[in-house]
Amino acid sequence: MRHFLDLAAPTAAGLRAILDEAHARKAARKGLPKGLPDADAPLDGHTLALIFEKPSTRTRFSFAQAIRQLGGSAITVSAGEMQLGRGEPVDDTARVLSRMVDAIMLRANSHATLETLANAASVPVINGLTDISHPCQILADILTFEEHSGRQVAGSTWAYLGDGNNIANSLVEAASVLGFDLRLGVPHGHDPDSAVMATACARGGSVDLVRSAEAAVEGADVVVTDTWISMGQEDSKAKLAAMQPFQVDAALMARANPSAVFLHCLPAHRGEEVTEEVIDGPASLVWDEAENRLHAQKAVLLWCLERL
Ligand code: CP
Ligand code: NVA
């Protein structure tokens, strides 16, 4: 069963195949109306369940449109509308849905819920964000860098600034599998997940924790940040104060490679993790990045259903 739960489990060849498919499919359907299926409609007749325990704009729309462009259809529900919200066990839910749909995407509060669902499901399960990781987002980020720079991600240098959250964890996994350098500019006490870091380091990944924003971005090809307070986290003045030196502003971007690009998964908080000047400026690729969720996830769906 090819579940897509994180970026550490698939091989480098598997992730490369997903990225190559995403580039090719995006190019092939240029100019088509957004709701029209790709010419080969490879998932004709297939159904994808989209389940959300937390809010979403990009993940919801991009997955619904992804399965449609592959020839299939989506059933989208919030977990609160399901018996899941009244305490029906996750594994029973997995067994029932596996009889009715061809794949399940879950956005979960806890990564453990996603793992329970995957263990009991007999169809592929896809991570649409948990407290631990957001693998689909980072595939879209890599796709965006590659299409903009015209080079493959291996050998490039990325800087991540701010909170060591789900986005940071998935970047750590991607760097160690796909072979790019990652410098994490994060304040003490807000490090990425220790198990994720340990696995990446054991794999020989070039992943460094630095405590200075300037040192993190020096000569980087890509500068990435994310919200300082993630969904489900408590808003805290102390945390915001600790994050302030890691705000991405124009002076910080000037220390990166002159052709460096800026990425943010969105939603953004202008004036907190990034200034308006940077996110709305010429180095920012955030709108391409958001669109690329769609293209990346089409390839993820094909990989999960063993069409790649
Ligand atoms: N980047 C992202 O996952 O956005 P949503 O929360 O809107 O899905
Ligand atoms: N780290 C953010 C990402 C949102 C797409 C969160 O979990 O809220």
Coordinates of all heavy atoms in Angstrom, one line a residue, residues 18 53 72 205 221 239 270:
I18 N 7.5 11.6 -8.8 CA 6.4 12.5 -8.5 C 6.6 13.9 -9.1 O 5.8 14.5 -9.8 CB 6.1 12.5 -7.0 CG1 5.6 11.1 -6.5 CG2 5.1 13.6 -6.7 CD1 5.5 11.0 -5.0
E53 N -10.0 18.0 9.8 CA -10.2 18.3 11.3 C -9.8 19.8 11.5 O -10.0 20.2 12.7 CB -9.3 17.4 12.1 CG -9.7 16.0 12.2 CD -8.9 15.2 13.2 OE1 -7.8 15.6 13.7 OE2 -9.4 14.1 13.6
G72 N -11.4 11.9 -12.0 CA -12.2 11.4 -10.9 C -13.0 12.4 -10.1 O -13.1 13.5 -10.7
G205 N 21.8 13.6 5.8 CA 21.2 14.9 5.3 C 22.1 16.1 5.7 O 22.6 16.1 6.8
D221 N 19.7 29.9 -2.0 CA 18.9 30.0 -3.2 C 17.4 30.2 -3.0 O 16.7 30.7 -3.8 CB 19.1 28.7 -4.1 CG 20.5 28.4 -4.4 OD1 21.2 29.3 -5.0 OD2 21.0 27.3 -4.0
K239 N 6.4 33.7 22.5 CA 6.9 33.1 21.3 C 7.0 34.1 20.2 O 8.0 34.1 19.5 CB 5.8 32.0 20.9 CG 6.3 31.2 19.7 CD 5.4 30.1 19.3 CE 5.9 29.3 18.2 NZ 4.9 28.2 17.7
R270 N 1.4 39.3 7.2 CA 2.3 40.4 6.8 C 2.7 41.2 8.0 O 1.8 41.6 8.8 CB 1.7 41.2 5.7 CG 1.6 40.5 4.3 CD 0.8 41.3 3.4 NE 0.8 40.7 2.0 CZ 0.1 39.7 1.6 NH1 -0.7 39.0 2.4 NH2 0.2 39.2 0.3

